C-alpha cells in the first residue's frame, strides 16, 4: 500500500470481513472536474463472500446523502473483480473515477462509501467506522469544492 494513503479500520460485511485498508481522494474538487477515488481493500476471512457487492461512493453535502455533486457505482476493479472472487489477505487497489457536477456549489462536502448487493440493492452491514448512516461510511477528511 502507498505510504501517503489515508489509512482506515473501516470494515463491511456480516463479520467485518471486507476491510477498507485505506484510500486516496483529492482534498479539493472543482465543478466539472474529473477525479479518482482509489480504495485499498483486503478480505479478512478464510474465503470470499458468497454475495457479490458493488461499491458506491457519493460526494454529498451531509451524512444523510440528500444533495450530491458526484457519485460512482460499480463492481471493484472496473467490474473485473467481484467480491466473490477476492483472495484472503491480498491487498486490492480499486480505482473509481468520477465527475464532479458542473454546477457544484462551493463548500464542504463529504465522501460517503458503501457496498451493496447488486441483486437486491441491500447495503452491506457497516461493521466498523467512525461515522456511518444507512450503510454508508464517511471517509475523512471532508472535501472542499471551489
Amino acid at each position: 500500500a502507498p505510504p501517503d494513503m489515508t489509512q482506515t479500520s473501516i470494515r463491511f460485511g456480516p463479520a467485518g470481513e471486507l476491510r477498507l485498508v485505506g484510500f486516496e481522494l483529492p482534498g479539493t474538487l472543482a465543478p466539472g472536474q474529473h477525479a479518482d477515488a482509489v480504495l485499498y481493500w483486503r478480505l479478512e476471512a478464510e474465503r470470499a463472500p458468497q454475495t457479490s457487492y458493488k461499491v458506491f461512493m457519493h460526494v454529498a453535502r451531509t451524512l444523510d446523502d440528500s444533495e450530491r455533486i458526484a457519485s460512482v457505482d460499480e463492481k471493484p476493479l472496473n467490474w473485473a473483480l467481484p467480491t466473490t472472487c477476492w483472495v484472503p489477505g491480498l491487498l486490492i487497489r480499486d480505482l473509481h473515477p468520477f465527475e464532479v457536477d458542473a454546477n457544484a456549489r462551493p463548500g464542504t462536502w463529504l465522501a460517503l462509501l458503501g457496498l451493496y448487493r447488486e441483486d437486491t440493492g441491500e447495503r452491506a452491514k457497516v461493521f466498523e467506522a467512525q461515522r456511518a448512516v444507512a450503510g454508508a461510511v464517511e471517509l475523512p477528511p471532508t472535501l472542499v469544492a471551489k
Side-chain angles (χ1 to χ4, degrees):
D4 58 341
M5 76 172 182
T6 301
Q7 295 183 19
T8 80
S9 59
I10 297 169
R11 298 185 300 144
F12 295 92
E17 64 274 16
L18 303 168
R19 180 169 174 222
L20 180 68
V21 176
F23 63 91
E24 296 173 294
L25 284 172
T28 304
L29 299 171
Q33 174 185 354
H34 168 85
D36 292 324
V38 184
L39 309 173
Y40 296 90
W41 299 98
R42 179 176 289 129
L43 175 62
E44 295 185 343
E46 292 183 16
R47 61 174 208 227
Q50 299 296 307
T51 302
S52 179
Y53 291 104
K54 288 176 79 175
V55 176
F56 71 86
M57 192 199 72
H58 302 157
V59 180
R61 177 69 71 188
T62 59
L63 196 58
D64 71 4
D65 199 11
S66 60
E67 179 185 356
R68 295 182 197 159
I69 60 170
S71 66
V72 63
D73 179 14
E74 59 194 11
K75 286 189 181 176
L77 272 114
N78 195 28
W79 300 83
L81 189 63
T83 56
T84 54
C85 297
W86 286 13
V87 175
L90 179 68
L91 185 67
I92 299 166
R93 182 182 185 273
D94 185 21
L95 175 70
H96 294 275
F98 63 94
E99 300 288 331
V100 178
D101 187 311
N103 298 314
R105 294 183 296 132
T108 302
W109 297 84
L110 309 174
L112 305 175
L113 175 77
L115 299 171
Y116 71 95
R117 290 178 59 136
E118 184 175 19
D119 59 343
T120 66
E122 179 185 0
R123 290 185 175 181
K125 176 183 176 185
V126 177
F127 193 82
E128 184 175 333
Q130 287 182 310
R131 286 182 46 173
V133 66
V137 171
E138 178 186 348
L139 297 180
T142 56
L143 308 172
V144 177
K146 295 193 174 200

